[in-house]
Every structure is written in C-alpha cells, then in structure tokens.
Amino acid sequence: MRNMRLLSSAAFAMLLAFVGPVLANEKLTVRLDFSPWGSHAAMHLAQQKGWFKEAGLDVDVQDGRGSANTLQLVNAGQADVGQIQLGLVPAARHGGAKVRAIAGFDRRTDLCVLVDKDAPIQKIEDLKGKKLVVFAASPWAPYIDTFLAAGGLDRNNTTIEFVDAAALWGTYTSRRADGLMSTVASALPLAQAARPSKCLTADMADLYFPSYGLIASDATLQKRGDTLKKLIAVEQRAWAEIAKNLDLGVKAMLAERPDAMLNPDVLREQIKLTIEYFNTPATEGKPIGWQATEDWDAALKGMERAGVVPAGWKASDYFTNDLVPR
C-alpha cells in the first residue's frame, strides 16, 4: 500500500524495546466489533503467529455484537480494549462514557450507501424516490438526514426503512430496498455474489467518520499504558505483513475461527478494502495507527452539523497518539 510504513521483525523487536520490558502473561481482553470479518485479520494473525505472546501479552480476542455494544463493555470495564468504529467515541464521551481512541487503522471515511453496480446513481440527489435500508443501531443513524440534505433530499422523497440487523442483508439482496447503508469494506465484498454493488460514501456530504481502530477507557490508559503500547506495536506488525500478503490474514482468520464458515474470497476482498482505507492525506507516511488532528477536526464539524456533538470540544478530547510507537 502506498506510503504505508512496513515493519521488519528487527524493527518490531526495537519497538518492543521502546515500549518497555516484556512481562510474562500480561492479560488483555480485546473485544471486536462484530462476528469475524476482514478488519479483524491483524488480531487473528498476531494470535496465530504467537506475536502477542512474543510481546509478553496474553490476549483474549472476542467476537462482538456491534461497535456500540463493544464501546459499552469497554466503558464498563468488562473488556480492556475494543476494536470499533472510532466515530462513535465523541457522542459516547458526551453521553458520559470515559473512553477514547488509542489507535486508528481505517482512517478514511467508509460509511457508504450500497446501490446496484449498474444503477444510474452517481450522487446523493440520485437517491430521490429510492428506499434505503439501515438498522437502528448503525453508526449511520444520526447522519441520515444531514446526508440526504446534502443532495436536496429528505425523508418525504426518500424512504428510510429501519430493520433488525439480522434482516438487513436479506432485505437488500432480495431487492426489497434500493440501497443499503453500511460500510465499504464490510459490505461490498458480501454483496458481490448476490447483488453486485457500488458505493456512495458519506464524505460526498462532507461527513467524515473515523472508522475502525482501538479504544480503551481512561482508567486503562492511566494504569496500563505500557501494555497497550505493546498491543499496538503487535498490531502494526501484523497489518504491515498482511499488506504485503493478504492471504496471511485470510489463512489466520480461517484457522482462528474454524466454525464461522467464512468465505476466503470475501475475507480477502474485505481485508484488501480495509487496507485501502487506511490513509487520508493527513496520515500519509505516518505510522500505522497514528491519527491526525485534521481528520478528527473535519469529523467533528460534520458531527456538529448533524447534532451529534455540541460545538466547542477539541479533537484531542477524543483520541491520543501517545501509545502509537513511532
């Protein structure tokens, strides 16, 4: 991937030396956002290769039930680290949660509306008269009206149907909806077999949403900063290796989740798209996981327009780069 900093084994060893001495059996619970899909590849590769143990970590990698649920568990101290869509953090902090982003991997906005690949839909206004399906707890939910308004639309001329998360894909693939509100890397590969699609992304409406990365509570940051640094260093190594060979991630996921009935072709494309969304102009050439204040500032402007957060808070209230090895 262009300008993504790759780590050799020697460089990884130097990073571990930087973040501190290795202590045996430092236990960490990492809760993922959902059932297994391509954005989890680095966690599973690190587990399979023994890189966590090499760093002195005993990591329990758990599947999740949605980014919002994972955030709640981390905030409640029931998981040490969460891998979620980081754009949820500002609203959560304003709601009283004490979590922040500690590493951002997918730093480019990937919220998207899937439509038929050959549909004459190229811009937001082309969704007029269409029916879009979404689930209520989706990160899309607070931004729907702002997104539609950017194309001169509203819910009077564009139908928004909320369904249970379990019914989302069936509604779209059975063509009971014209579009599906999801994310690029997770959704496009899944749609390929049943309903080949393309995406209209949220940034068409100047809505920027930091995507997948890691969060931890303020308490965990204060007490276990060195341990979190080691976790991030291992993730950097794993993503760098996967960027050179996507099949490393595919094979690791199949091995770590043998009962999940994962499709290797779908996984490979999900991993590929995940990596393609790693960088923004502000993060080019920066270490994997490093987050840019400019990107968070842009995201907060859209959140303010959508009424998700009040004005006046700074990007630094929601994230830190202090744990990202340079």
Side-chain angles (χ1 to χ4, degrees), residues 3-17:
N3 287 333
M4 189 167 90
R5 187 169 297 174
L6 304 182
L7 301 182
S8 64
S9 296
F12 174 66
M14 292 175 64
L15 281 174
L16 290 183

Side-chain angles (χ1 to χ4, degrees), residues 111-274:
L111 288 182
C112 75
V113 179
L114 267 69
V115 295
D116 285 316
K117 193 170 185 177
D118 57 358
I121 299 175
Q122 303 295 335
K123 48 192 184 299
I124 299 171
E125 45 262 51
D126 296 335
L127 295 172
K128 184 176 182 178
K130 307 300 183 183
K131 180 167 78 171
L132 310 180
V133 65
V134 65
F135 67 97
S138 168
W140 255 114
Y143 302 98
I144 293 172
D145 294 316
T146 305
F147 178 77
L148 293 177
L153 307 178
D154 57 35
R155 300 197 197 195
N156 293 316
N157 53 35
T158 306
T159 301
I160 305 297
E161 180 178 350
F162 288 91
V163 300
D164 185 86
L168 188 69
W169 274 100
T171 303
Y172 181 66
T173 56
S174 64
R175 299 185 178 274
R176 287 179 282 135
D178 301 296
L180 179 149
M181 308 189 88
S182 186
T183 62
V184 175
S186 67
L188 270 183
L190 280 174
Q192 183 58 35
R195 189 175 179 179
S197 301
K198 61 186 176 184
C199 276
L200 304 183
T201 50
D203 54 10
M204 290 180 171
D206 288 330
L207 293 173
Y208 301 94
F209 195 84
S211 192
Y212 293 98
L214 303 180
I215 63 166
S217 69
D218 291 346
T220 301
L221 277 164
Q222 183 176 5
K223 296 175 183 177
R224 306 191 68 189
D226 287 342
T227 303
L228 297 177
K229 284 180 183 179
K230 293 171 188 174
L231 177 76
I232 295 170
V234 174
E235 283 286 280
Q236 288 178 321
R237 177 186 187 182
W239 275 123
E241 293 300 325
I242 291 169
K244 293 184 288 186
N245 182 358
L246 300 181
D247 283 334
L248 285 176
V250 174
K251 291 175 182 177
M253 292 196 66
L254 295 175
E256 290 293 311
R257 293 293 186 268
D259 298 326
M261 300 181 66
L262 301 173
N263 182 319
D265 294 328
V266 170
L267 283 178
R268 188 177 296 105
E269 189 64 19
Q270 287 179 332
I271 294 168
K272 176 177 175 289
L273 287 171
T274 294

